[in-house]
Amino acid sequence: MDGYTLIKNTSAYKIFNGDKLRGTLSHAYLIVSEDKLFLENYLKIFAKVLVCSEKEPCNRCRVCSLVDKKSFTDVVFYPLGKKLVVSDVDDLIEKSYFKPLEGDKKVFVLSDVADMTVQAQNKLLKTLEEPPKNTFLLLGATSIYPLLPTVLSRCKKLDIKPFSETELYNYLEGFLQGGDKLKSAVRLSGGNLGEAINRYETGEGALAENLAYDALINLKTSSQIADFSAKISKEILKDFISSLASIVSQAQNYALRGVGGNERIKSVANALSVGALVHVSQKIRTAEKAVYFNGNTVAVIDGLLFGIVEGKFKWSK
Ligand SMILES: [Zn+2]
């Protein structure tokens, strides 16, 4: 599961592979993806585009499998330690003086350059400006904000945008068991492959979603709030809030139009009137803002749960 099938459909990949086929490759690319867990995997795919002798990476030849293992001599991966530091750039500069050993290209892969210190970025500038012949740099970044404008301006930037839920679900269904657990993991992932797999494996996506349904359907009085609140940890708070938001909007849709509700959504629409659903969705927006500004976790959770009780009471059916 390296995400190749997903990456092949991105415009970033199509532009890059097109550059290779047309012989118009730039010497430095900045590949941007928010997916911290899969960034290096994605960079491997781009590196294979450069060094595999097929039109597109075959994933079968010796070169492709060595790149996957990070042990192909002409493709060097950084950081050597945990984060990119000046000594990585020193090593890169030294190695860039040597010609490729096996093929006609020398490739340096750096991830995540968003972690790179200013000193290390400055040191890299010269190689970015005047790379030795047949040298290619693939910079992977989870964010471009920490990058110096001078670094940015010397790279061709390619964005790997979040995948759609359908794309991600269909892809993951080929490897993992489909169903509600996978659906909630994908929905809460923000279109991010690494996040989706993580939520699937830990079961946190499904847990957050179940707790959101539980609170909406079963929470009735403020004396129950402490019990519910204790189940929602800081780790799943964001997922809990986005699960609530999605469930409430589906329940509103079902209540107003009578369409699109599964059994659990119908139970929510039974437990809360349309007025109560609107009230809760306002509380959800407040909670989202509080989380964004790093508000106190317990206060955010209690505020939300109280909002549900209050909504049910004020707008009882
Ligand atoms: Zn190959």
Side-chain angles (χ1 to χ4, degrees), residues 88-232:
D88 289 309
V89 182
D90 289 334
D91 188 87
L92 186 157
I93 292 169
E94 199 186 312
K95 289 199 172 113
S96 71
Y97 296 131
F98 298 104
K99 286 185 179 154
L101 289 168
E102 297 211 32
D104 58 353
K105 295 184 190 81
K106 185 114 195 169
V107 185
F108 295 100
V109 180
L110 294 91
S111 72
D112 171 358
V113 294
D115 290 334
M116 222 176 175
T117 59
V118 172
Q119 292 97 305
Q121 291 188 47
N122 269 321
K123 198 143 200 185
L124 187 64
L125 269 181
K126 199 169 172 302
T127 314
L128 285 173
E129 272 165 13
E130 299 164 32
K133 212 172 156 240
N134 299 325
T135 300
F136 296 88
L137 282 94
L138 300 179
L139 278 58
T142 48
S143 159
I144 60 163
Y145 297 106
L147 295 178
L148 297 173
T150 41
V151 169
L152 276 174
S153 67
R154 282 165 183 79
C155 300
K156 182 163 173 178
K157 185 167 151 290
L158 299 173
D159 285 304
I160 299 175
K161 302 217 171 66
F163 303 109
S164 74
E165 280 183 29
T166 316
E167 266 179 309
L168 211 46
Y169 184 86
N170 290 343
Y171 176 71
L172 285 170
E173 211 187 8
F175 304 91
L176 306 168
Q177 202 187 339
D180 284 345
K181 188 182 170 193
L182 183 57
K183 267 184 205 155
S184 63
V186 165
R187 199 177 47 71
L188 294 166
S189 71
N192 188 311
L193 180 58
E195 298 273 332
I197 294 170
N198 197 21
R199 280 174 172 78
Y200 180 84
E201 283 174 352
T202 60
E204 276 179 7
L207 174 67
E209 194 162 82
N210 286 336
L211 287 170
Y213 274 110
D214 192 22
L216 287 166
I217 296 166
N218 299 318
L219 182 60
K220 291 182 181 93
T221 65
S222 49
S223 61
Q224 294 171 285
I225 288 177
D227 284 345
F228 276 89
S229 174
K231 294 182 212 159
I232 304 156

Side-chain angles (χ1 to χ4, degrees), residues 7-61:
I7 290 293
K8 272 180 93 168
N9 288 321
T10 62
S11 59
Y13 176 89
K14 286 175 188 161
I15 292 168
F16 189 78
N17 201 54
D19 284 355
K20 174 200 165 172
L21 298 178
R22 282 188 302 271
T24 56
L25 281 166
S26 302
H27 280 284
Y29 286 85
L30 176 66
I31 294 154
V32 187
S33 163
E34 285 175 13
D35 198 335
K36 189 123 190 140
L37 293 167
F38 267 78
L39 183 62
E40 193 178 81
N41 267 294
Y42 296 160
L43 292 168
K44 281 181 187 169
I45 297 170
F46 286 87
K48 286 185 275 185
V49 170
L50 293 175
V51 293
C52 176
S53 56
E54 301 292 323
K55 273 188 164 181
E56 296 196 55
C58 69
N59 286 317
R60 282 188 301 272
C61 70

